[in-house]
Amino acid sequence: MRIENIELNNFRQYIGTQKIEFSQDPERNVTVLVGKNTSGKTTLIRAFEWCLYRKYGFEDEILLNSQVAEHMNEGETQDVSVTISLWHKYSIDDKATRYIINRKATYLCAGLDAINGKRKISLARPISGSVQWLNDDGQTYSDVDAGSVNASITRLLPEDLSGYFFLTGERIGAITENKDLKESVRGLMGLNVLENTMNHLKKILSTYNNALKQSGNSNIENAQKMMEEKQNQLDRLGEEIFKVQDAVDFYQNEKAECSANLKKNNNVIEDQKRREQLESIIEDTKNTVASGKTGMASGFSVNAFSFFLKPLTNRVNEFMEKVADEVDCVPDMSQPSIDYIINIRKKCICGTDVSKGTLAYQQLIFERQKMPPENIGSAARRYQEYTNQYSEMGDNYFTIIESKYRDYRRNKKELARRIDEKQNIDKSLGNGSIDAKALNYAYTNAVSMLEKKSREIKNLYEQQGALKKEIDNCNNIINELLKKDKSNVKLRGYITYTQMLFDWVNEAYASKEVSIRSQLEMKVNSNFVKMYHGNRNILIDSKYRVKYSDVTTEESDGLKAVKNFAFVSGLVEMAKEALTGEDDIELGTQSFPMVMDAPFSNIDEIHIANICSILPDIAEQVIIAVMKKDWDQASDRLSNKIGKTYLIEKDIDSKGNEIETSTHFKEVKLLNV
């Protein structure tokens, strides 16, 4: 978005019709307005907000210029209006469209007030607004329906996000103070598009489910009722997870702040560093002990049967050695087969007589004795093969178990030693000054609560997973029951398809939200490093509240302003980037101007110079209303980025005094005014 111009007509101290053209040059995208205190710099910001959102920001809601009002006759009307022309596009591929936004108020003079003698001024009719856009022919304009004016403006720049782009010195200092910025950042980053999509898909699913013909089928009704109950539980669980996650973020910040404060004391710096090292070592050792225990149990179960069976198999093998050596026999021959040849057939298959006493008879009897149960040589051989295999499997069993057990015992002792060392450091840190004790108590309490809340959120996530499975089961039951009803085939298909879409968008939403916070923290820190001349890091919690990772002193107004400049510039920078991922969902880009009044009031000259060197490269357009003293400090860094410069001046009466109700803009070409 680029603001082309703003036109004010009798708006507060700006008498008559006055127009400011802002720089459109992408290389020189800064417009500077220099004026004294009370000259009307803040009024200009208010004019933007009134035109766009009907926000007043003044104690006196009469916007009509006082000088104009004093010259009105009874029954006469005068208009106050603000008109903004801007160019806006919704993504990289969109062509920019020119919009003209107008807000107008008509005031009526009802005569003189009998008490104070001043004219009675009031609105003659409701405040009106209009939005026009330039058609493709580049000549004609189309009007937005009167009922859609506010919606159209919200589409261009939502009011809840405007606080990041229309900034006064006071707002800059308070923009990240104790606020839940999550919804605002979601809107700015385009996540509300995915959120609205999910809500829409939920409504569609509800409509389809209600349309299913379920009359007379109590099983379906019961399953759907169960699914709705589980879904309600899942929604409540999601709210609980959000609350607990907020607590986790709080105690993480608390721990970091306590750690930073402890490091201030030179006597405890080394102990604190060692404690932090031990925390990491203890956590790793705990994991090693747990892994060793699991490995020992796993190793104990593997081949245990072979190991404990080994004494028995050794004794059996000794017995088997006494059994006659294995003798070859005819494959698949059996005693019944030989008995049949001798007793029934009485002849060999070759025709030889096998009557009792013959050599053939004796050979058959010899072969018969090889068959079980008279001879178990074959079975013994196979058995020995099996037992030898088991024996070999158990050979290294004890060695492996012993090695794992020794490692487990060694790691447990190491863990106990590290814990003792940390406890001694805890006591040492607690035996110092009263403040050190309090800080140490706060630190240990934060660690304890962080562990507790981490366990809680882990349990909640497990419950969430279980509920999702139960909902899937209910849904599967309903689908199976509905298969019998052919009239619901299409609806079941619609439901399945809609649910798949919802799951896909939901996963993309969760992934992008995590990615956005991480990227935003990186960009804010990157800008903060460039703006701030000290050494500090910034953390952004789940509600997008901004904190320092190592604040050890009270935050000054100047430092707070620099921090918030870094935050806003990070938001503006991210809004310009397309947010895409593996899901190929693109949230688009949004480019916004930064309009600021007295932004450098609480900032020293070093930080002013740093901020001025960054903002023009981050924002598409920068408009600054500033006092001369602050401008002198910023002009050197901005000189090569300035496209237009204005003076805000009050008119002078015949006696040489400034007229408070008559202010004008004057364009000048000199940068150092």
Side-chain angles (χ1 to χ4, degrees), residues 243-282:
K243 292 178 182 178
V244 177
Q245 183 60 56
D246 190 40
V248 169
D249 291 338
F250 172 81
Y251 287 114
Q252 282 177 336
N253 291 333
E254 189 81 1
K255 177 184 174 183
E257 289 181 9
C258 290
S259 176
N261 282 311
L262 284 170
K263 287 180 179 178
K264 282 195 307 178
N265 190 332
N266 291 329
N267 296 327
V268 299
I269 288 178
E270 292 304 319
D271 281 346
Q272 178 60 24
K273 287 182 178 179
R274 181 57 181 164
R275 177 162 67 178
E276 291 174 355
Q277 290 174 351
L278 285 171
E279 286 176 347
S280 178
I281 292 171
I282 288 171

Side-chain angles (χ1 to χ4, degrees), residues 528-540:
F528 187 68
V529 168
K530 297 173 185 175
M531 294 178 181
Y532 182 57
H533 57 68
N535 294 313
R536 282 197 172 102
N537 289 318
I538 286 177
L539 300 174
I540 297 178

Side-chain angles (χ1 to χ4, degrees), residues 8 10-14 38-51 54-65 80 82 107 168 171 597:
L8 288 72
N10 290 331
F11 187 84
R12 301 287 291 183
Q13 65 261 54
Y14 292 102
T38 73
S39 62
K41 300 186 302 299
T42 302
T43 301
L44 180 62
I45 301 293
R46 306 294 189 203
F48 275 104
E49 294 180 328
W50 183 72
C51 180
R54 283 192 59 179
K55 291 171 65 175
Y56 283 85
F58 304 103
E59 292 183 6
D60 182 7
E61 291 191 357
I62 301 298
L63 300 177
L64 181 64
N65 180 270
V80 172
V82 177
Y107 290 93
T168 63
R171 290 180 187 174
D597 163 43

